[in-house]
Amino acid sequence: KNKNFFNPTVSKNTALNSNITNLPGGRYYWRLSQVSPITKKPDYSETRRLIIIKDSPVQLVQPGNGTIFTFSAKEPIINFSWVKNKIASNYTIEISQDKLFNNISKTFEMQITDVAVDTLTEGLYYWRVKTKAGFSNISYNGLSPTYSFSINKKMTINPPELISPSHETKTS
C-alpha cells in the first residue's frame, strides 16, 4: 500500500511468470524484482499502481420477489426501489417479460434509487438493476439479482363491505 514499499503487504518468490494473491479492496503499488547474477543485488522494475474494488450487488427492495399486483380498470403504479450501492454513480433498471432479458420492456437510467412506473400491462415481469461506477480511466458495471412480479387484471370487483357502524348499532 506504500509506493516506497516500506512494510509490504505481500512479498512472494516465484519461478513462474504469474502469481495469484487475494487482496482486500484498496490501492496498492506493485513491482517485480530479481537478483542480478552479476552484482548479486536486487534490480527492480518500474512501480505500478493497482486499485481493487470490492463491490456488493445492489439489494432490491420493492417490489419483493414474487409480488402480485391486481387491478380492475387502470394499471397499477408500481414503485421500484433498491438500496444505494457505495460505488455506483448511475443505475439502470431493466424490466422484462423474459427472464433472460432478451426483450426488455422498460429501461430507466438514473442516479437515484427509486422509480414509479404506471405503464406496465397484465403479465409476469422480471426486474433487475445495473450499476455503473467511474473511477478516472476505469469503468465498472455491476448487476443485481433478478426479481419477478406479476400484474393480474380482476374481472369482477368485490362488493363494498360495511365496516361501521356495526349491525344493529344505535346512535344518537
Side-chain angles (χ1 to χ4, degrees), residues 104-127:
I104 296 173
S105 304
K106 300 280 180 194
T107 182
F108 302 94
E109 197 167 316
M110 64 197 73
Q111 294 178 335
I112 57 176
T113 59
D114 61 348
V115 65
V117 179
D118 65 354
T119 56
L120 298 173
T121 58
E122 188 174 17
L124 174 63
Y125 290 90
Y126 300 91
W127 73 288

Side-chain angles (χ1 to χ4, degrees), residues 39-56:
T39 65
K40 306 291 187 220
K41 293 182 181 179
D43 289 330
Y44 297 100
S45 70
E46 65 181 289
T47 299
R48 299 240 174 134
R49 184 175 63 173
L50 170 71
I51 298 172
I52 297 177
I53 302 167
K54 293 287 184 170
D55 186 29
S56 300

Side-chain angles (χ1 to χ4, degrees), residues 38-99:
I38 299 169
T39 65
K40 306 291 187 220
K41 293 182 181 179
D43 289 330
Y44 297 100
S45 70
E46 65 181 289
T47 299
R48 299 240 174 134
R49 184 175 63 173
L50 170 71
I51 298 172
I52 297 177
I53 302 167
K54 293 287 184 170
D55 186 29
S56 300
V58 167
Q59 294 177 4
L60 304 179
V61 176
Q62 70 176 29
N65 199 18
T67 300
I68 299 171
F69 297 93
T70 57
F71 72 99
S72 58
K74 188 174 181 203
E75 285 84 3
I77 297 171
I78 301 178
N79 294 305
F80 294 87
S81 67
W82 53 94
V83 177
K84 181 179 171 103
N85 180 287
K86 291 180 184 178
I87 67 169
S89 57
N90 260 15
Y91 302 98
T92 302
I93 179 173
E94 294 179 333
I95 304 166
S96 176
Q97 288 189 284
D98 167 20
K99 191 174 189 170

Side-chain angles (χ1 to χ4, degrees), residues 1-20:
K1 288 196 168 212
N2 181 314
K3 70 179 174 180
N4 295 321
F5 295 92
F6 295 117
N7 230 359
T9 305
V10 176
S11 180
K12 290 187 175 184
N13 292 325
T14 182
L16 305 172
N17 63 0
S18 66
N19 196 300
I20 298 173

